[in-house]
Amino acid sequence: NARYISSGAIVCTAPELIPGEVKITVISNGFDETAESLSFTVYPFEFIERISPSRGVISGGTSVSIVGGNYIFSSALSCSFDSVIVPASFISDSKINCFAPARLDPGVVNLKVTNNGIDFADEAVDFEYVNLPSISKIQPERGPIGVPIQVTIHGSGFLEGSTWCRVGNSAATEALVKAENLLICDIVIENSGLKEISVSTNLQNYNARSVEI
């Protein structure tokens, strides 16, 4: 059945259909069908298998890669972080990308996807919002060049089993987190001068502190 809105608009709920193209016509009195028709595309429900990273900062902007299936190239392709909907970039029918929106407080939200901006799959995956880790102190601030140096970093927002450190833009190494405000990391300094040592809890959003080596 259709729901009347006005002389120029009605609303219909699509029944369960086989994926493909179908034609939509209107019957006004139960018998007389319109000669004109419109095409309606039916597709299988999209789904999520995994996301990377599964954590982002509350300031937003984390690029989230979503692997699953049944994605279609559409201007309405979107991601939902709880009730906040953001556009998605189509990469293939099994991969899309979304930028996580900002959130006031840390916490876990439900991440869902939609091909048409309306119908979201019931299944969701968890996406965790955290504070950007910070660095208040690095010890020692001096050491030999070209060999591993074990440094102790004081700060906040460190997560056990999911915190990395790096020098400049070099490859990140996993840190040994002793507490939420203390970690130990092995770094290698290639040459002397002012260096940025940074930490991250998702290998994407980094916070740095400059030290003179």
Side-chain angles (χ1 to χ4, degrees):
N1 293 330
R3 178 163 58 90
Y4 178 85
I5 301 297
S6 69
S7 60
I10 58 174
V11 174
C12 296
T13 300
E16 184 174 348
L17 298 167
I18 298 174
E21 293 284 334
V22 299
K23 297 295 184 180
I24 297 179
T25 58
V26 176
I27 300 174
S28 59
N29 58 3
F31 298 99
D32 298 320
E33 185 176 359
T34 56
E36 299 83 6
S37 64
L38 295 174
S39 293
F40 182 76
T41 303
V42 181
Y43 51 82
F45 245 134
E46 60 281 350
F47 63 91
I48 300 174
E49 289 183 346
R50 63 184 184 275
I51 63 173
S52 179
S54 59
R55 178 182 298 114
V57 293
I58 60 174
S59 58
T62 301
S63 178
V64 183
S65 176
I66 302 172
V67 175
N70 297 332
Y71 305 137
I72 63 173
F73 182 75
S74 165
S75 60
L77 184 65
S78 308
C79 298
S80 170
F81 292 78
D82 272 357
S83 59
V84 181
I85 299 175
V86 296
S89 297
F90 178 87
I91 299 173
S92 71
D93 61 358
S94 60
K95 187 175 183 180
I96 61 175
N97 189 85
C98 291
F99 287 97
R103 178 179 165 89
L104 290 177
D105 302 302
V108 177
V109 300
N110 287 329
L111 172 57
K112 297 182 178 183
V113 296
T114 175
N115 281 319
N116 63 5
I118 298 174
D119 300 310
F120 289 87
D122 293 333
E123 296 81 8
V125 296
D126 289 341
F127 182 82
E128 182 183 13
Y129 278 94
V130 297
N131 291 312
L132 182 69
S134 66
I135 301 174
S136 59
K137 186 178 182 180
I138 299 175
Q139 295 175 306
E141 292 190 353
R142 291 176 175 83
I145 293 174
V147 297
I149 307 170
Q150 189 173 85
V151 296
T152 299
I153 299 177
H154 301 261
S156 65
F158 306 149
L159 301 176
E160 184 177 357
S162 186
T163 302
W164 295 263
C165 58
R166 70 180 184 184
V167 178
N169 292 320
S170 63
T173 59
E174 188 171 356
L176 175 61
V177 176
K178 294 292 189 177
E180 187 272 341
N181 60 354
L182 179 68
L183 64 79
I184 296 174
C185 202
D186 292 327
I187 62 173
V188 176
I189 304 297
E190 299 296 341
N191 48 63
S192 61
L194 189 66
K195 304 296 180 183
E196 275 195 346
I197 297 178
S198 54
V199 294
S200 172
T201 56
N202 65 359
L203 289 173
Q204 187 176 141
N205 305 113
Y206 285 88
N207 203 356
R209 182 180 177 89
S210 297
V211 294
E212 186 74 31
I213 303 296

